[in-house]
Amino acid sequence: MRTYAFDWVDAFTAMRFGGNACMVVHDAADLTHAERLALVRETSLSECAYVVPSDRADFGVRYYTAAREIPMAGHPTIATVAALLHRGIARARGASRSRSAPGFCPSGSRTQAPGRRASR
């Protein structure tokens, strides 16, 4: 059985079990489309984010609902950046770039709005 590192992140809040929850699955390139959909259904979350490699950005992200892959999602993007910063994968100073279906997204501490943060 394969195992994957993941973070369950509450975006848009400073307290646990508040805000918008999202599961961020790391090193998820080998998960199939069907497995990604099944995991979203298993968690009962509105979306999950899957971190994948990118040859044009620091990392890639794929977003899924229980029914389909979607090109972009707000709180899963915030949750992904928070998880990658927490794990030391994304840079805390300056910016990292992620790649999703619509294109590139800058991320990092300088893009975080004051008073808005994700909690673990």
Side-chain angles (χ1 to χ4, degrees):
M1 176 190 283
R2 298 173 291 172
T3 60
Y4 297 89
F6 70 90
D7 293 294
W8 189 290
V9 181
D10 295 316
F12 302 123
T13 186
M15 63 182 206
R16 292 178 184 260
F17 310 118
N20 297 71
C22 179
M23 178 181 281
V24 179
V25 181
H26 301 277
D27 300 317
D30 65 338
L31 278 170
T32 68
H33 177 79
E35 290 170 327
R36 292 173 187 183
L37 293 171
L39 183 57
V40 180
R41 287 190 298 272
E42 177 73 18
T43 64
S44 297
L45 294 169
S46 58
E47 296 104 6
C48 289
Y50 299 89
V51 180
V52 297
S54 173
D55 59 353
R56 298 177 58 198
D58 298 311
F59 55 92
V61 185
R62 309 280 297 269
Y63 304 104
Y64 281 78
T65 67
R68 64 187 176 92
E69 182 174 11
I70 57 176
M72 187 68 165
H75 78 274
T77 300
I78 299 299
T80 300
V81 172
L84 294 174
L85 286 169
H86 175 77
R87 289 176 175 263
I89 297 168
R91 295 185 298 255
R93 296 187 187 264
S96 298
R97 287 189 341 149
S98 65
R99 173 98 167 125
S100 61
F104 295 100
C105 178
S107 57
S109 60
R110 70 180 175 180
T111 62
Q112 185 174 359
R116 298 284 195 159
R117 61 184 197 194
S119 68
R120 285 192 35 83

